[in-house]
């Protein structure tokens, strides 16, 4: 029936697609729509070409602006640098005058000496027109000064108010300076400006302000642009004060004024100086330069250049002449207009031509659609046949899985019920053997079906969020009993860099780990099995995660095969200077590398080439001794490939083997806040809140094993410290700043010297610094450790049996520390009371057409105290689940005659939906329906096949989950606990 239903849907889908493509390929549609599409194409690319032209023209303009800015900044920098050179030389001359004129009596400098010196050193002041020195003269000293100099101090303000031409200038015609408290007559001047000798600079407006600022600040100051005396050209004066003595750095302005001897000024003829500078540049004719004094932004003063320009582009460069009060700018413009943007024109036109050619090609292609229409119909027919064959193959796999697993469900279920009865030792052994054989057969069936799906290419991976650490804890639980029987140490370590939650297929990842650990457990009789999980980036970037072959740096002390050789052939590690490409394509991708290390018998060199070959064993004796089909590693290799990873191994006979694989997942923590909340609520830390703030001390001399113990204890939220022997414990806990709450001693150290162990427990019992810490013993097997511990002292340590898992470790510490367990049981260690508490008194309906399955399911649920009602068809289930009813849940078989579980579930959900709507609209009384306004009974699918499509269909039709046959306590608890 299921096959007919799929064939009907497939046939209807093919008809719809056939008519659709037939309509699209017809000439009528081509004539009606293609012309419009072609016109839209031409218009669209015309717009695109215009946009490209505008964009490229804008780029040319931006480049022209950058060129102008570069040229303008270059000129501004040169002018500024030359000004700074002149300014430094003028400042040096002020020091020279202070030393040789005022510092010597009689003075070593006169007008002639000063003129000759300034003329010979003019090259050091490339942009100055001249230099002059004015001495400070008080009014009381004026008469004597004028007699000494032989001339009268002249006033300058009349020249500023009434400028005269250079030919009309006569110094003797100038008026004497009016009476003031002090004067500043020029006594020395370069020949180029010798006409300023005897002029009182304090009588000029600009010069007076300049002189007063220079002597109070001690720095060089500039005047605003003004017309120079005699030349009547625009210029500025740079003034430095000359002091009597060297002044300290913290001298006050008043002290500076009193110590002033005179003023040295440098005259800058801005127009001629800028012109000389521009002549030094080869491209002086390319741009126009204007220099402005912008101290007053509202009225800038033009110092050089004209305002005529043919181009709208302009760039402004800031000039810094050392005076913080005066602001100067250089404005630059291009002289010539920009050229035509020929590159933009040719590019846009070329693109438009190409677009028109492409449109013509498409037009020719559409005209040929009618010719290939028959070929298309043939392709659709072949596609229909291929899909039908694919559906038939999927149905065959589902049927084979269901038909084989259904009787096995009955066998295993009845054996499980038989184990709950009173049996003698021999009977229990027989039943246990039968159960083990049945589970082995189910495992073989699953592997064969997986291999068949691999060969047909139908093996697909799920994408769901899962906790990697919880999965490895579950796998440890599966092998914990076997490892304790053999005395083999079993451990897992996961790097802190690995996120708490990942997105991928947890079931297939678990299958890979189980296959690898199962092989290691088969072939290892002593030593250890060690599983490590890191990020690929850690292994590539850090040597700390590498495992050395030294026995001192392994889990159990036995030598191991160097795991680095197991990934030598990986592409991830063979590319120099790069990690896996997948890890770089998105920040959300997590590339894991997992290693399973054992100290077993190893694999002979001649068998390395066939390790991953399906149905192949290393040798005939291996199959007889250890069993197995030889397809587990083949399936694991395929699953690793589907996870975008690689798998490899290294093995040394009589030393051991190490299998390593990589897998790519998606980060399940999309943001830091979500990551933090998952750390708090994550079930892998059931008691983290109870142990927060506690300190644990691990005593172990093996670094790798101590790191594993630290990893598991830290997952509970406790702080962990490590020491190497018992003699270091008491000094640590006595002298430490923090209180040590628990001490965990490795069994190997405890059993090494019973005298030291007994002395340690006695000292710990007599601990006088508060409450002594709890003492725990980490043991591989309960029997030997319990015996040794019992004889050691009255202060007997509590035993924690390895392998360490978070839930088991938390439960042991909670019992010993007196901490209440608020977490949920997990990791395969479900106590019998957990399911009993969930199912006790619950009324559950089981629907299955097979009487054996009904008995098995009913017996499994009754064992936990459930009140079970059985129905053998979907129609009976609908009548029993019609509201109002008293059922808490329903387990429904998927494949049943007349009405399968999918159809029955859809009818039940439709019935519940109608009744809920009637109650909400007041058409039905809620009291008549047990005061429940929203009816929804949890329905779990019971399925014996392992096809992913079956699971998806069960959720699509309205079921709330599914459990596989035969029932497993962990899966049953996980599904039931979601609803009850």
């Amino acid at each position: 029936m299921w096959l007919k239903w799929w064939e009907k849907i497939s046939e209807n889908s093919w008809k719809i697609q056939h008519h659709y493509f037939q309509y699209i390929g017809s000439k009528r549609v081509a004539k009606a729509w293609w012309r419009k599409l072609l016109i839209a194409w031409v218009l669209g690319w015309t717009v695109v070409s215009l946009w490209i032209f505008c964009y490229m023209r804008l780029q040319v303009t931006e480049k022209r602006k950058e060129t102008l800015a570069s040229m303008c900044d270059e000129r501004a920098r040169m002018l500024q640098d030359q000004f700074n050179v002149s300014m430094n030389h003028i400042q040096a001359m002020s020091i020279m005058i202070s030393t040789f004129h005022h510092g010597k009596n009689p003075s070593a400098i006169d007008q002639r000496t000063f003129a000759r010196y300034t003329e010979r050193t003019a090259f050091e002041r490339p942009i100055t027109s001249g230099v002059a020195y004015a001495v400070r003269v008080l009014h009381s000293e004026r008469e004597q000064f004028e007699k000494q100099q032989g001339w009268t101090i002249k006033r300058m303000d009349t020249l500023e108010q009434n400028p005269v031409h250079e030919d009309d200038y006569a110094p003797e015609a100038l008026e004497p300076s009016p009476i003031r408290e002090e004067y500043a007559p020029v006594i020395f001047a370069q020949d180029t400006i010798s006409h300023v000798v005897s002029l009182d600079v304090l009588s000029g407006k600009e010069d007076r302000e300049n002189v007063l600022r220079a002597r109070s600040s001690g720095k060089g100051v500039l005047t605003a642009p003004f017309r120079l005396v005699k030349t009547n050209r625009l210029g500025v004066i740079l003034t430095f004060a000359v002091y009597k003595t060297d002044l300290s750095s913290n001298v006050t302005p008043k002290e500076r004024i009193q110590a002033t001897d005179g003023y040295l000024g440098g005259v800058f003829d801005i127009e001629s100086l800028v012109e000389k500078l521009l002549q030094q540049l080869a491209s002086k004719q390319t741009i126009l330069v204007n220099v402005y004094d912008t101290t007053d932004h509202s009225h800038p003063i033009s110092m050089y250049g004209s305002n005529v320009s043919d181009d709208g582009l302009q760039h402004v460069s800031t000039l810094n002449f050392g005076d913080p009060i005066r602001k100067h700018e250089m404005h630059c413009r291009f002289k010539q207009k920009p050229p035509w943007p020929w590159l933009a024109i040719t590019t846009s036109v070329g693109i438009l031509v190409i677009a028109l050619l492409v449109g013509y090609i498409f037009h020719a292609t559409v005209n040929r659609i009618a010719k290939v229409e028959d070929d298309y119909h043939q392709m659709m027919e072949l596609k229909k046949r291929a899909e039908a064959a694919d559906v038939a193959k999927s149905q065959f796999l589902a049927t084979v899985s269901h038909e084989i697993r259904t009787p096995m469900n009955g066998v295993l279920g009845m054996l499980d019920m038989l184990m709950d009865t009173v049996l003698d030792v021999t009977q229990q052994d027989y039943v246990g053997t039968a159960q083990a054989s049945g589970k082995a057969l189910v495992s073989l069936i699953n592997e064969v079906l997986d291999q068949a799906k691999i060969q047909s290419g139908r093996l697909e991976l799920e994408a769901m969020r899962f906790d990697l650490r919880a999965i490895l804890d579950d796998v440890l639980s599966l092998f914990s009993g076997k490892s304790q029987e053999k005395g083999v140490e079993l451990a897992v370590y996961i790097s802190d860099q690995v996120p708490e939650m990942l997105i991928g297929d947890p079931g297939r990842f678990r299958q890979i780990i189980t296959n690898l650990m199962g092989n290691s457990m088969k072939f290892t009789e002593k030593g250890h099995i060690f599983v490590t999980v890191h990020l690929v980036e850690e292994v590539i970037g850090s040597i700390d995660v590498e495992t050395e072959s030294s026995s001192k740096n392994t889990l159990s002390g036995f030598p191991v095969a160097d795991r680095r050789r197991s990934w030598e052939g990986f592409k991830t590690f063979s590319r120099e200077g790069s990690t896996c490409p997948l890890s770089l394509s998105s920040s959300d991708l997590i590339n894991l590398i997992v290693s399973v290390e054992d100290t077993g018998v190893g694999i002979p060199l001649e068998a390395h080439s066939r390790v991953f070959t399906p149905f192949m064993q290393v040798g005939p004796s291996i199959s007889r001794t250890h069993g197995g089909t030889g397809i587990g590693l083949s399936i694991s290799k395929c699953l690793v490939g589907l996870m975008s990873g690689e798998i490899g191994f290294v093995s040394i006979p009589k030393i051991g083997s190490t299998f390593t694989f990589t897998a790519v997942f998606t980060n399940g923590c999309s943001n830091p806040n979500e990551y933090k909340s998952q750390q708090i609520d994550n079930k892998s830390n059931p008691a983290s809140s109870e142990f927060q703030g506690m300190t644990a001390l691990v005593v172990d001399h093996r670094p790798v094993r101590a790191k594993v113990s630290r990893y598991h204890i830290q997952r509970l939220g406790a702080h962990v410290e490590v020491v190497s022997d018992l003699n270091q414990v008491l000094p640590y806990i006595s002298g430490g700043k923090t209180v040590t709450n628990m001490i965990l001693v490795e069994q190997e150290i405890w059993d090494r010297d019973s005298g030291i162990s007994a002395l340690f427990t006695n000292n710990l019992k007599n601990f006088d610094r508060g409450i002594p810490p709890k003492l725990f013993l980490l043991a591989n097997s309960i029997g030997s450790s319990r015996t040794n511990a019992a004889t050691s002292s009255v202060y007997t340590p509590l035993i924690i049996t390895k392998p360490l898992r978070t839930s088991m470790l938390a439960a042991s510490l909670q019992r010993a520390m007196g901490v209440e367990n608020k977490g949920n049981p997990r990791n395969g260690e479900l106590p019998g009371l957990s399911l009993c508490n969930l199912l006790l008194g619950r009324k559950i309906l089981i629907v299955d057409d097979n009487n054996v399955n009904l008995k098995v399911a009913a017996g499994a649920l009754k064992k936990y105290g459930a009140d079970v009602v059985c129905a053998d068809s979907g129609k009976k289930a609908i009548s029993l689940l019609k509201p109002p009813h008293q059922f808490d849940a329903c387990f429904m078989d998927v494949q049943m005659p007349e009405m399968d579980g999918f159809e029955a579930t859809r009818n039940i959900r439709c019935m519940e939906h109608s009744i809920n709507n009637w109650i909400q609209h007041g058409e039905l009384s809620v009291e008549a329906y047990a005061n429940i306004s929203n009816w929804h009974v949890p329905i779990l699918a019971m399925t014996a096949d392992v096809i992913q499509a079956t699971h998806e269909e069960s959720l699509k039709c309205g079921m709330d989950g599914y459990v596989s046959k035969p029932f497993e306590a962990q899966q049953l608890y996980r599904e039931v606990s979601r609803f009850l």
Side-chain angles (χ1 to χ4, degrees):
M1 183 176 182
W2 188 80
L3 180 59
K4 293 181 180 179
W5 182 66
W6 269 107
E7 288 179 348
K8 185 177 181 180
I9 291 180
S10 178
E11 181 178 359
N12 292 336
S13 175
W14 179 84
K15 289 181 178 179
I16 293 173
Q17 293 178 2
H18 173 75
H19 291 304
Y20 173 76
F21 286 108
Q22 187 178 29
Y23 177 77
I24 290 297
S26 65
K27 295 181 179 179
R28 179 170 55 88
V29 174
K31 290 180 180 179
W33 289 98
W34 177 245
R35 184 176 299 172
K36 296 180 180 179
L37 182 61
L38 188 61
I39 294 174
W41 172 273
V42 173
L43 292 177
W45 277 103
T46 302
V47 173
V48 170
S49 63
L50 290 175
W51 179 85
I52 292 174
F53 170 76
C54 295
Y55 176 78
M56 295 186 67
R57 185 177 181 182
L58 180 63
Q59 292 294 103
V60 171
T61 303
E62 291 296 326
K63 187 171 183 63
R64 187 173 172 84
K65 288 181 180 179
E66 293 176 2
T67 303
L68 178 62
S70 176
M71 297 174 67
C72 190
D73 290 340
E74 179 186 9
R75 285 153 176 76
R77 185 169 57 253
M78 290 182 62
L79 179 61
Q80 185 172 297
D81 291 343
Q82 293 193 20
F83 186 89
N84 289 336
V85 170
S86 300
M87 181 178 67
N88 293 335
H89 189 263
I90 293 173
Q91 186 176 12
M93 288 182 63
S94 69
I95 299 174
M96 181 192 71
I97 292 174
S98 176
T99 304
F100 292 99
H101 179 65
H102 295 287
K104 290 183 179 295
N105 192 11
S107 172
I109 302 175
D110 56 13
Q111 168 59 27
R112 181 182 177 187
T113 304
F114 186 86
R116 291 178 63 191
Y117 174 80
T118 53
E119 189 66 30
R120 292 180 180 182
T121 59
F123 68 93
E124 295 184 355
R125 303 180 303 280
I127 60 174
T128 57
S129 301
V131 182
Y133 175 68
V135 68
R136 183 186 183 190
V137 179
L138 300 178
H139 180 67
S140 59
E141 302 171 350
R142 176 175 180 175
E143 182 178 355
Q144 181 181 356
F145 174 81
E146 289 178 341
K147 291 180 180 180
Q148 182 179 357
Q149 296 293 331
W151 41 256
T152 305
I153 300 176
K154 306 295 191 303
R155 63 189 304 172
M156 181 182 288
D157 51 352
T158 55
L159 287 176
E160 291 180 349
Q161 297 172 2
N162 302 303
V164 296
H165 192 269
E166 181 177 358
D167 298 332
D168 300 331
Y169 177 77
E172 61 276 4
L174 297 178
E175 299 178 5
S177 178
I179 298 176
R180 301 175 183 273
E181 293 183 1
E182 60 176 302
Y183 310 90
V186 177
I187 61 173
F188 302 144
Q190 190 174 345
D191 288 342
T192 56
I193 57 171
S194 59
H195 55 273
V196 299
V197 173
S198 76
L199 291 180
D200 180 14
V201 295
L202 285 178
S203 64
K205 179 181 179 182
E206 293 293 340
D207 286 328
R208 177 180 180 80
E209 181 183 352
N210 217 30
V211 165
L212 295 179
R213 281 204 300 126
R215 72 181 185 180
S216 62
S217 64
K219 299 179 181 179
V221 296
L222 285 171
T223 64
F226 67 97
R227 296 294 174 178
L228 298 176
V229 176
K230 187 177 180 181
T231 62
N232 202 26
R233 294 173 65 88
L234 196 64
V236 295
I237 297 177
L238 173 67
T239 304
F240 282 96
V242 178
Y243 298 103
K244 297 177 181 178
T245 58
D246 293 336
L247 301 178
S248 61
S249 59
N250 58 352
V251 67
T252 62
K254 185 176 181 181
E255 293 173 341
R256 288 183 183 276
I257 295 173
Q258 293 176 353
T260 302
D261 269 338
Y263 315 96
L264 182 66
V267 180
F268 294 84
D269 187 343
I270 297 299
E271 295 181 2
S272 59
L273 296 179
V274 176
E275 186 65 30
K276 291 178 183 179
L277 173 67
L278 295 180
Q279 288 177 357
Q280 299 176 14
L281 299 173
S283 58
K284 64 182 184 299
Q285 299 300 328
T286 306
I287 62 174
L288 296 174
V289 174
N290 293 73
V291 180
Y292 293 93
D293 183 314
T294 57
T295 304
D296 185 358
H297 286 285
S298 60
H299 297 88
I301 303 173
S302 177
M303 300 172 65
Y304 174 80
S306 61
N307 295 323
V308 179
S309 175
D310 294 332
D311 194 347
L313 294 180
Q314 176 178 306
H315 180 76
V316 178
S317 296
T318 302
L319 295 172
N320 182 8
F321 290 147
D323 188 346
I325 296 180
R326 310 303 304 183
K327 307 295 181 182
H328 300 85
E329 292 179 353
M330 178 178 286
H331 294 200
C332 302
R333 298 178 179 85
F334 280 113
K335 281 186 176 182
Q336 301 172 351
K337 293 183 178 180
W340 283 85
W342 291 111
L343 180 61
I345 295 173
T346 54
T347 302
S348 57
V349 172
I351 290 176
L352 181 59
V353 171
I354 293 174
L356 294 177
L357 291 175
V358 171
Y360 176 78
I361 293 172
F362 274 108
H363 178 68
T365 302
V366 170
N367 291 335
R368 298 179 60 87
I369 290 179
K371 183 178 180 181
V372 300
E373 189 175 11
D374 293 338
D375 295 337
Y376 172 77
H377 289 310
Q378 292 179 5
M379 180 189 68
M380 292 300 297
E381 182 66 24
L382 294 174
K383 183 175 181 290
K384 176 184 176 183
R385 294 178 183 177
E387 290 176 347
D390 193 43
V391 171
K393 186 183 295 184
S394 300
Q395 182 63 26
F396 172 76
L397 289 175
T399 303
V400 169
S401 171
H402 187 272
E403 295 302 326
I404 295 178
R405 291 169 63 92
T406 296
M408 284 305 304
N409 174 48
V411 172
L412 293 177
M414 288 300 178
L415 288 174
D416 188 57
M417 295 170 64
L418 183 59
M419 283 292 287
D420 293 335
T421 62
V422 180
L423 303 174
D424 58 30
V425 176
T426 303
Q427 291 171 332
Q428 288 181 355
D429 181 60
Y430 291 164
V431 174
T433 303
Q435 276 187 321
S437 301
K439 291 181 179 179
L441 180 57
V442 171
S443 177
L444 175 60
I445 293 170
N446 291 337
E447 289 182 347
V448 172
L449 288 174
D450 282 344
Q451 188 66 27
K453 287 190 286 184
I454 289 172
Q455 293 177 351
S456 64
R458 290 191 55 81
L459 188 62
E460 298 178 356
L461 299 182
E462 294 181 335
M464 57 187 297
R465 296 176 79 244
F466 67 95
D467 187 347
L468 175 68
R469 291 163 176 80
I471 287 196
L472 286 176
D473 282 352
D474 292 341
V475 176
L476 278 182
S477 300
L478 297 177
F479 296 101
S480 60
K482 192 69 173 179
S483 66
Q484 292 171 7
E485 291 176 8
K486 288 187 170 186
V488 175
E489 187 156 0
L490 186 61
V492 165
Y493 175 79
I494 303 177
S495 168
D496 294 337
Q497 301 297 320
V498 178
E500 289 287 337
M501 301 300 295
L502 299 174
I503 297 177
D505 193 328
R508 294 303 183 182
F509 182 79
R510 184 200 307 267
Q511 184 177 354
I512 298 172
I513 295 293
T514 303
N515 282 340
L516 297 179
M517 291 186 67
N519 286 341
S520 295
M521 189 61 68
K522 285 180 186 178
F523 302 111
T524 303
E525 301 298 331
K526 61 180 180 179
H528 68 266
I529 299 172
F530 187 27
V531 182
T532 60
V533 183
H534 293 87
L535 297 181
V536 168
E537 291 82 356
E538 289 184 84
V539 178
I540 293 177
S542 174
I543 198 67
D544 295 336
V545 297
E546 310 288 351
T547 300
E548 300 177 3
S549 58
S550 172
S551 62
K552 294 182 181 180
N553 197 26
T554 63
L555 186 69
S556 62
F558 285 82
V560 297
D562 188 354
R563 73 176 60 178
R564 286 172 291 187
R565 294 175 54 195
S566 64
W567 60 61
E568 283 181 348
F570 288 4
K571 296 179 181 179
T572 303
F573 297 89
S574 62
R575 296 177 182 176
E576 298 181 0
S578 64
T579 58
C580 178
L582 288 171
S583 66
L584 296 177
S585 62
S586 172
S587 58
D588 291 335
L589 293 184
I590 303 299
N591 200 353
L592 298 184
I593 180 168
V594 184
S595 294
V596 180
E597 170 188 286
D598 67 59
T599 57
V601 297
I603 303 173
L605 294 177
E606 62 273 11
H608 285 190
S609 60
R610 59 177 184 269
V611 166
F612 295 109
T613 304
F615 304 105
M616 293 293 292
Q617 293 280 7
V618 171
S621 60
I622 295 295
S623 181
R624 290 194 298 269
T625 304
H626 301 282
T629 61
I631 60 175
L633 288 177
S634 173
I635 294 174
S636 297
K637 183 175 183 180
C638 174
L639 294 177
V640 169
L642 291 176
M643 294 179 183
S644 301
E646 301 169 277
I647 187 169
F649 72 97
V650 59
S651 183
I652 303 175
K654 298 182 181 180
I655 295 294
S657 305
T658 299
F659 280 79
T660 300
F661 70 92
T662 61
V664 179
F665 298 97
T666 304
N667 192 348
C669 305
S670 58
N671 55 68
N673 293 331
E674 181 182 354
Y675 176 75
K676 292 179 182 178
S677 65
Q678 287 173 357
Q679 285 184 316
I680 297 174
D681 301 332
N682 197 289
K683 293 183 179 179
S684 65
N685 291 334
S688 60
S689 60
E690 289 84 352
F691 296 99
Q692 287 287 348
M694 292 189 179
T695 301
L697 183 64
V698 175
V699 185
D700 195 343
H701 66 290
R702 299 195 183 279
V704 175
R705 189 167 56 193
K707 182 173 70 170
V708 172
S709 302
R710 180 198 294 268
Y711 157 71
H712 287 286
I713 299 171
Q714 283 181 339
R715 289 178 63 190
L716 302 178
H719 176 70
V720 183
E721 296 291 340
V722 178
V723 296
S724 59
D725 58 59
L726 290 173
N727 295 327
Q728 301 177 14
V729 175
L730 288 177
Y732 175 82
I733 63 177
S734 300
K737 297 181 180 180
T738 58
V739 178
T740 302
N741 305 96
M742 62 191 84
I743 301 174
L744 298 95
V745 185
E746 182 60 38
Q747 176 190 359
E748 183 180 350
I749 293 181
W750 187 265
D751 294 343
R752 188 163 54 188
D753 191 332
S754 59
I756 294 179
S757 302
L759 179 62
F760 171 75
T761 53
N762 288 332
N763 292 336
L764 193 62
K765 181 181 179 183
N766 299 325
F767 186 71
D768 58 353
R769 292 176 179 266
I771 302 175
K774 295 290 183 180
L775 182 61
F776 299 91
L777 192 62
L778 302 178
N780 286 329
S781 58
I782 299 177
S784 60
S785 300
R786 184 173 294 163
T787 301
N788 295 337
T791 60
S792 62
S793 174
V794 178
Y795 194 77
T796 304
L798 301 173
I799 308 299
I800 297 179
T801 308
K802 293 190 286 187
L804 297 179
R805 285 100 67 205
T806 302
S807 56
M808 176 276 297
L809 184 61
S812 301
L813 296 179
Q814 285 166 346
R815 287 194 297 269
M817 306 293 292
V819 179
E820 181 183 357
N821 184 4
K822 300 179 182 179
N824 295 324
R826 63 180 315 281
N827 296 343
E829 301 172 4
L830 298 169
L833 293 176
S834 299
L835 276 172
C836 290
N837 292 336
L838 285 175
L839 298 177
L840 182 62
R842 301 287 187 175
K843 190 171 183 180
I844 296 178
L845 175 65
I846 298 179
V847 185
D848 200 318
D849 62 309
N850 188 298
N851 291 328
V852 177
N853 289 342
L854 283 176
K855 289 182 181 180
V856 172
L861 295 175
K862 286 180 180 179
K863 180 171 66 174
Y864 300 111
D867 181 11
V868 179
V869 176
C870 297
D872 58 2
S873 68
K875 292 182 178 179
K876 289 184 179 180
I878 294 174
S879 61
L880 289 172
L881 293 178
K882 181 178 181 180
H885 59 77
Q886 298 180 349
F887 290 101
D888 296 295
C890 172
F891 288 80
M892 184 172 294
D893 188 27
V894 172
Q895 295 186 5
M896 293 184 294
E898 296 185 9
M899 181 181 291
D900 61 18
F902 298 142
E903 186 176 355
T905 301
R906 279 192 288 267
N907 290 333
I908 293 170
R909 294 303 184 217
C910 182
M911 179 174 57
E912 291 175 342
H913 180 70
S914 299
I915 292 176
N916 291 338
N917 285 338
W918 291 338
I919 293 176
Q920 292 177 1
H921 291 86
E923 299 177 15
L924 294 177
S925 173
V926 68
E927 290 79 8
Y929 287 85
N931 290 321
I932 298 176
S933 60
N934 187 20
W935 283 90
H936 182 92
V937 61
I939 300 177
L940 302 177
M942 292 190 303
T943 173
D945 63 59
V946 292
I947 304 300
Q948 178 65 24
T950 305
H951 301 162
E952 294 174 356
E953 181 62 26
S954 65
L955 299 177
K956 189 182 300 183
C957 73
M959 293 183 174
D960 299 284
Y962 62 88
V963 292
S964 60
K965 301 177 185 178
F967 286 163
E968 294 180 358
Q970 182 176 351
Q971 184 188 24
L972 184 63
Y973 177 84
R974 184 173 64 246
E975 293 297 331
V976 171
S977 62
R978 294 166 52 198
F979 311 106
L980 304 181

